[in-house]
Amino acid sequence: MANHKSALKRIRSNRAKQLRNKYQHKTTRNAVRDLRAATEKKEAEELFPKVIAMVDKLAKKNIIHKNKASNLKSKLTKHVAAL
């Protein structure tokens, strides 16, 4: 167990950040799933910019790797174009 005040604070702040990152990551995964499940081109085109923005934010904050974000964006772009 931590003995210093600063270490206790670090534990609390890390937990808060972990929960926030987990929430954002899960929300983005659900949005990606919804975009992939979309069968209407118009619906997919409306969702696409929002999902791309979410993925970019995760990559910017190092929640996901930048290459993973790039691969996701590429695959989603191809999916929307193919509809």
Side-chain angles (χ1 to χ4, degrees):
M1 186 61 199
N3 292 321
H4 298 285
K5 228 178 180 182
S6 60
L8 293 170
K9 181 178 178 180
R10 177 60 61 194
I11 290 169
R12 287 194 310 271
S13 64
N14 284 346
R15 179 67 178 150
K17 289 175 188 175
Q18 178 193 15
L19 291 173
R20 186 180 327 111
N21 290 343
K22 189 174 169 185
Y23 170 78
Q24 290 173 342
H25 196 182
K26 185 66 174 176
T27 304
T28 303
R29 283 199 306 263
N30 288 339
V32 168
R33 184 191 64 207
D34 293 343
L35 179 58
R36 284 193 176 130
T39 54
E40 302 280 329
K41 186 165 179 85
K42 186 175 181 181
E43 179 189 357
E45 285 177 341
E46 287 176 9
L47 287 173
F48 184 69
K50 296 173 187 170
V51 173
I52 294 301
M54 293 169 88
V55 169
D56 282 337
K57 285 179 186 174
L58 290 183
K60 182 180 176 184
K61 296 176 183 175
N62 290 321
I63 297 171
I64 60 173
H65 196 273
K66 64 178 184 171
N67 291 354
K68 179 180 174 72
S70 183
N71 287 334
L72 255 178
K73 292 192 313 187
S74 174
K75 289 175 183 176
L76 291 175
T77 303
K78 286 181 183 177
H79 173 72
V80 171
L83 288 177

